[in-house]
Amino acid sequence: MVTGASTADAAVILIDARKGVLPQTRRHSFLVQLLRLRHVVLAVNKMDLVDYDQDVFETIVADYRAFADAIGIAQFTAIPISGFAGDNVATPSSAMPWYDGPTLIEHLETIDVEADAAQARPFRLPVQRVNRPDLDFRGFSGLIASGSVRPGDAVRILPSGRTTSVARIVTMDGDLPEAVAGQSVTLTLADEVDCSRGDVIALADSPPQVADQFRATLVWMSETPLLPGRSYWLKLGTQTVGATVQEPRHAIDVATLAELSVKTLGLNDIGVAEVYTDRDVVFEPFADGADLGGFILIDRATNATVAAGMLDFALRRAQNVHWQAIDITSAAHAQQKGQVPRLLWFTGLSGSGKSTIANLVEKKLFALGRHSFLLDGDNVRHGLNKDLGFTDADRVENIRRIGEVAKLMTDAGLIVLTAFISPFRAEREMVRAMLPDGFVEIFVDTPLAEAEARDVKGLYAKARAGQIANFTGISSPYEAPERPDIRIDTTRESPEAAAERIVEHIMGVWTPDL
């Protein structure tokens, strides 16, 4: 429904005359309004099964109008039809002389689906490709989302904000004097400016907005529920960025339009939440245009589309908070300490030996004169993360916070060791993305039976007895690393030997010339 409606000009809402306005009717109508479809047809079908009764038809239309008014559908065209008999589908029905409006096909053929609305908006071209067949030509190709453009027009490249003007509008059939919304073209610019796929070329005096924090409406499309704080890919036009969704402000009951308090979104839920991206995004509110206002969320691990979203507005703090330049850089901190910062990420089941091995590694690094710090899972939950439990959402937030703290510590030039179960691959990959050159994933591979046999803290026994909920390996899953940088088999290798091997590994990949 969402996929089809996102590129449609009109929607036909089909109602069974015997059943009237159902929850599914309300859901589909609500989505139609969210996606700002301009033309809505209410096709009341199976009129033959209610003896072509005018009162039945008018009652359904009145019920639907009340709901349509409540959700903001200002106008719709109601048509009584019978798909079985063909009444009012392609030809007028003699069985319903009380209806003198158009047939369904007749009405659909009169709907204006031209791009007039898009052409009336300011010029926007999301760049799909930098076209450089040789050293003498450099153009920027894409589909014009809105407006029109001519050679000589002043344009702005976003998100950088650099201004220039259009030199040529190039197509396979030759240069154009003007291009409009819906056309695919290549623009050449008067100046050499940085511009790449995902950037937007816009009218200089009427550019779209740029921000990294938004309020958005989400339609959740996955059987796996939203995990607030988990990193997803956000695809908006030609832009693809990392994004996290915060705990929803509310979900919407499409039957009553009530705002429901929820902590997550499940399959087919519609909700409002704040979305943070890892870099600036060029956007417009969805109400102003779907091309720069509509997006999808993609699961990083499975590449499955999990949600469709409509950007409502940028959060005010997105404009008020700016990155502060500092003189002492992370490279300077590392050079002062004479070492390359690393994040040694120990992952494994509870009782696998993560903390024991991490502690031995830090002792060896300390003896070598290296500057390090160990973040242990239990210790961190006594302070920074004392407000978090052990639900999937809390585990995601736990790792997100640790990742941010670890990144700050590596910026200070330290070798950081973390010992956390970190059960989900998606969050470990999120932290790896924060430190692409310094992340070392160490899988302390201990079979569940062995970890349970050790049970130093008695946690497995409590979990088996049902006294601990969401316990990894028992009632909550553990997603083992598929390609860890270092794998430690604790059934074959002692903690001391494992620690020695880890130190040898990171010293072997050391880069002395900082």
Side-chain angles (χ1 to χ4, degrees):
M1 175 68 189
V2 172
T3 303
S6 65
T7 57
D9 295 287
V12 179
I13 303 294
L14 198 63
I15 287 183
D16 187 327
R18 300 168 302 171
K19 300 178 180 179
V21 179
L22 298 175
Q24 189 76 333
T25 307
R26 295 186 176 92
R27 179 181 298 277
H28 286 170
S29 300
F30 191 82
L31 290 172
V32 162
Q33 169 60 13
L34 278 181
L35 294 164
R36 303 294 194 273
L37 269 68
R38 294 183 297 151
H39 306 283
V40 178
V41 179
L42 184 70
V44 182
N45 191 26
K46 301 186 179 181
M47 288 297 297
D48 56 308
L49 297 182
V50 294
D51 298 324
Y52 301 103
D53 192 322
Q54 181 180 2
D55 288 341
V56 171
F57 173 72
E58 290 181 349
T59 298
I60 290 173
V61 172
D63 289 346
Y64 185 80
R65 188 178 304 283
F67 180 74
D69 289 344
I71 64 175
I73 296 180
Q75 185 176 359
F76 63 89
T77 300
I79 304 175
I81 66 172
S82 168
F84 176 77
D87 295 283
N88 286 337
V89 177
T91 57
S93 171
S94 59
M96 291 179 280
W98 45 266
Y99 175 75
D100 58 1
T103 67
L104 178 61
I105 297 300
E106 181 184 354
H107 176 71
L108 293 177
E109 288 178 340
T110 64
I111 291 177
D112 179 15
V113 295
E114 298 298 325
D116 294 341
Q119 292 180 21
R121 301 200 308 269
F123 170 68
R124 310 277 189 260
L125 185 142
V127 177
Q128 296 177 341
R129 178 171 178 261
V130 178
N131 192 339
R132 193 157 196 171
D134 55 57
L135 295 178
D136 297 324
F137 184 90
R138 184 168 179 255
F140 306 96
S141 304
L143 175 71
I144 299 177
S146 63
S148 61
V149 65
R150 297 170 180 266
D153 284 353
V155 293
R156 188 181 301 272
I157 313 299
L158 296 166
S160 70
R162 177 72 185 274
T163 57
T164 181
S165 61
V166 176
R168 298 169 57 196
I169 304 173
V170 182
T171 71
M172 288 291 291
D173 299 321
D175 286 12
L176 299 178
E178 182 182 25
V180 299
Q183 287 184 286
S184 293
V185 298
T186 297
L187 301 184
T188 65
L189 304 177
D191 304 295
E192 286 286 337
V193 295
D194 288 334
C195 184
S196 58
R197 175 179 170 83
D199 288 351
V200 176
I201 302 176
L203 202 63
D205 59 359
S206 185
Q209 302 177 56
V210 176
D212 62 0
Q213 299 178 31
F214 314 90
R215 176 80 60 83
T217 302
L218 295 174
V219 181
W220 200 256
M221 302 162 62
S222 173
E223 292 183 357
T224 302
L226 163 71
L227 283 179
R230 168 164 286 184
S231 180
Y232 299 92
W233 290 119
L234 183 150
K235 192 174 190 305
L236 171 63
T238 59
Q239 306 169 86
T240 301
V241 298
T244 57
V245 182
Q246 305 308 298
E247 185 175 296
R249 286 182 168 266
H250 60 264
I252 301 168
D253 184 330
V254 296
T256 65
L257 302 183
E259 296 182 355
L260 308 176
S261 178
V262 296
K263 291 187 176 296
T264 185
L265 297 175
L267 180 63
N268 292 332
D269 283 347
I270 301 170
V272 175
E274 294 178 359
V275 178
Y276 301 163
T277 56
D278 59 11
R279 58 185 173 87
D280 282 343
V281 170
V282 184
F283 82 102
E284 291 179 306
F286 187 84
D288 295 341
D291 299 282
L292 292 177
F295 65 89
I296 60 173
L297 291 178
I298 301 170
D299 186 284
R300 285 176 177 259
T302 65
N303 212 35
T305 299
V306 296
M310 287 69 72
L311 293 178
D312 299 328
F313 53 83
L315 301 180
R316 184 175 180 181
R317 60 178 174 269
Q319 280 77 40
N320 292 345
V321 179
H322 305 279
W323 193 266
Q324 178 64 45
I326 53 178
D327 293 328
I328 307 300
T329 64
S330 56
H333 283 296
Q335 188 171 24
Q336 182 191 51
K337 295 174 177 61
Q339 62 184 32
V340 174
R342 300 284 179 200
L343 172 52
L344 308 184
W345 192 275
F346 293 80
T347 178
L349 293 170
S350 177
S352 61
K354 300 181 301 297
S355 296
T356 299
I357 298 173
N359 188 54
L360 289 172
V361 170
E362 187 178 34
K363 289 171 67 176
K364 292 179 180 296
L365 291 173
F366 187 83
L368 291 170
R370 302 299 177 183
H371 302 264
S372 63
F373 194 87
L374 172 59
L375 292 167
D376 182 78
D378 285 350
N379 294 348
V380 170
R381 281 186 176 272
H382 279 91
L384 176 67
N385 292 345
K386 68 187 302 181
D387 61 319
L388 299 178
F390 291 91
T391 65
D392 286 355
D394 283 343
R395 289 175 186 273
V396 169
E397 175 61 13
N398 182 53
I399 298 306
R400 187 197 69 81
R401 292 184 191 179
I402 295 306
E404 293 289 355
V405 170
K407 185 178 184 302
L408 291 174
M409 287 185 164
T410 57
D411 283 345
L414 297 175
I415 301 167
V416 183
L417 304 88
T418 67
F420 295 85
I421 295 174
S422 49
F424 302 129
R425 293 191 191 100
E427 278 57 64
R428 297 195 298 266
E429 289 304 309
M430 173 187 67
V431 179
R432 183 188 292 274
M434 294 179 186
L435 297 99
D437 299 324
F439 183 87
V440 181
E441 186 177 48
I442 303 169
F443 178 28
V444 184
D445 188 0
T446 301
L448 175 60
E450 175 66 21
E452 192 168 358
R454 297 173 186 174
D455 205 9
V456 177
K457 302 174 184 177
L459 299 178
Y460 282 98
K462 292 181 180 178
R464 291 290 187 189
Q467 298 175 16
I468 301 179
N470 304 312
F471 191 81
T472 303
I474 304 298
S475 54
S476 185
Y478 176 76
E479 299 172 357
E482 295 175 332
R483 291 179 296 276
D485 299 294
I486 301 174
R487 177 178 175 272
I488 305 297
D489 183 347
T490 61
T491 63
R492 298 185 177 184
E493 190 172 16
S494 69
E496 181 68 31
E500 188 64 33
R501 184 155 65 90
I502 293 168
V503 172
E504 289 176 357
H505 174 86
I506 64 172
M507 296 299 286
V509 296
W510 220 262
T511 305
D513 51 340
L514 292 169

